[in-house]
Amino acid sequence: MNTQDPLTIRAIRQLHSGWKQEDRKVRRELDEIRVWMTQVSQFGVPRFGETGERLLGLRTCLVEHFQREDALCAQLAAFYERPMSKVDALCRQSDRDHQDLLERIDQMIGELSALEPAFESFQAAVDQIEALISAIEQHESDESEGLL
């Protein structure tokens, strides 16, 4: 496909727009978890199990998000007449990152859901969740930059 064709350029821009819209959905979900964790921390009552349930909701959101991103990546790659190393590399790295992030969230959910949570304190759990959220945000930022 001719990537200089105005229709192709418009379609690629729409894909980029779709990608950014996906990123905004994930950011909203992450922000909601942050706000909730801040509120719970202020009450001073640990809520490990409920935190795990909220992360399960985030995991579901991420799985759907990653599937849509994979489809967008495939559509983007299809616009080019020959394989584009930049697009291919982005898609491969995204896939690896997606698997890693899902493994990390699964581990966190398991630790939060255990009868005896594996954290010294609720704040320690919050700190690890914040590190996970930061990793997700960094991944989303890297993906977006890779598309430009």
Side-chain angles (χ1 to χ4, degrees), residues 24-41:
R24 285 190 295 274
K25 288 178 189 176
V26 170
R27 278 183 176 63
R28 279 192 301 272
E29 185 76 22
L30 296 175
D31 288 344
E32 286 178 20
I33 289 174
R34 273 194 176 118
V35 167
W36 182 83
M37 286 190 320
T38 299
Q39 292 169 344
V40 169
S41 293

Side-chain angles (χ1 to χ4, degrees), residues 20-68:
K20 288 179 183 180
Q21 184 176 355
E22 281 298 314
D23 287 352
R24 285 190 295 274
K25 288 178 189 176
V26 170
R27 278 183 176 63
R28 279 192 301 272
E29 185 76 22
L30 296 175
D31 288 344
E32 286 178 20
I33 289 174
R34 273 194 176 118
V35 167
W36 182 83
M37 286 190 320
T38 299
Q39 292 169 344
V40 169
S41 293
Q42 290 173 349
F43 291 130
V45 178
R47 297 175 90 166
F48 292 102
E50 188 175 349
T51 304
E53 290 173 17
R54 288 188 178 262
L55 288 184
L56 189 56
L58 172 62
R59 186 193 193 287
T60 299
C61 172
L62 287 175
V63 166
E64 293 169 359
H65 171 74
F66 293 159
Q67 288 171 344
R68 288 188 294 265

Side-chain angles (χ1 to χ4, degrees), residues 12-25:
I12 290 172
R13 285 184 181 148
Q14 287 174 339
L15 285 175
H16 286 197
S17 176
W19 200 292
K20 288 179 183 180
Q21 184 176 355
E22 281 298 314
D23 287 352
R24 285 190 295 274
K25 288 178 189 176

Side-chain angles (χ1 to χ4, degrees), residues 129-143:
I129 293 166
E130 181 57 41
L132 174 62
I133 288 173
S134 293
I136 293 167
E137 289 173 330
Q138 184 62 52
H139 162 76
E140 293 302 315
S141 176
D142 291 348
E143 277 184 334

Side-chain angles (χ1 to χ4, degrees), residues 47-53 106-119:
R47 297 175 90 166
F48 292 102
E50 188 175 349
T51 304
E53 290 173 17
D106 286 342
Q107 180 178 354
M108 185 72 63
I109 291 167
E111 291 174 0
L112 288 164
S113 302
L115 287 175
E116 293 293 324
F119 304 96

Side-chain angles (χ1 to χ4, degrees), residues 117-134:
F119 304 96
E120 291 181 23
S121 65
F122 187 68
Q123 187 58 50
V126 168
D127 292 345
Q128 287 190 29
I129 293 166
E130 181 57 41
L132 174 62
I133 288 173
S134 293

